[in-house]
Amino acid sequence: MVWEHMKSLIGMLNIPSDLNSIVDFLIPLAKMRLARSVIAKLVFAASCYFIWQERNNRLFMRSKRSKDQVIDIIKSNVRLKLLTCKFKKTKNVQMMIHLWKLPTSLIGSSR
């Protein structure tokens, strides 16, 4: 399942996979500017978009991508968006930089 894989990339393994639980988890993060909350929101939005796109392609275009292809598209799009961000230097950010294979130049000074 695509969402199960994406949950592991944002540390949401203990959250059930139903939409209400996901939204309930994300609502408190909505206004936070922590790296974890930004990534969680990006991953959720990209996952919704590309899973829905895959659904439409299967219904109307008779084309089908594999689970791994959908995961790669989501990860690629989130990574591209993260490349436009600047982050404060924290342990969580450094872990995220490593996990998403981002350049360390995205880390600014920690004030």
Side-chain angles (χ1 to χ4, degrees), residues 23-36:
V23 172
D24 288 343
F25 178 82
L26 290 175
I27 285 174
L29 299 177
K31 293 183 181 176
M32 297 176 131
R33 292 183 47 171
L34 299 173
R36 180 175 181 243

Side-chain angles (χ1 to χ4, degrees), residues 76-107:
S76 172
N77 276 271
V78 170
R79 187 177 182 280
L80 286 172
K81 181 61 180 168
L82 290 173
L83 286 170
T84 68
C85 299
K86 284 283 188 198
F87 299 98
K88 291 181 181 177
K89 187 175 182 176
T90 66
K91 286 186 180 188
N92 286 335
V93 168
Q94 289 173 326
M95 186 177 67
M96 178 268 311
I97 293 281
H98 176 72
L99 181 66
W100 286 89
K101 297 180 178 95
L102 297 169
T104 56
S105 61
L106 296 180
I107 300 174

Side-chain angles (χ1 to χ4, degrees), residues 36-95:
R36 180 175 181 243
S37 63
V38 170
I39 293 169
K41 291 182 288 187
L42 286 173
V43 167
F44 178 68
S47 296
C48 289
Y49 178 82
F50 287 106
I51 291 169
W52 190 259
Q53 184 183 60
E54 181 62 21
R55 174 232 178 242
N56 285 344
N57 287 342
R58 288 178 183 203
L59 281 175
F60 304 116
M61 308 271 290
R62 306 250 192 261
S63 67
K64 185 176 181 179
R65 291 182 281 208
S66 71
K67 175 184 107 173
D68 291 332
Q69 288 173 316
V70 174
I71 288 169
D72 288 343
I73 290 168
I74 295 167
K75 286 168 58 174
S76 172
N77 276 271
V78 170
R79 187 177 182 280
L80 286 172
K81 181 61 180 168
L82 290 173
L83 286 170
T84 68
C85 299
K86 284 283 188 198
F87 299 98
K88 291 181 181 177
K89 187 175 182 176
T90 66
K91 286 186 180 188
N92 286 335
V93 168
Q94 289 173 326
M95 186 177 67

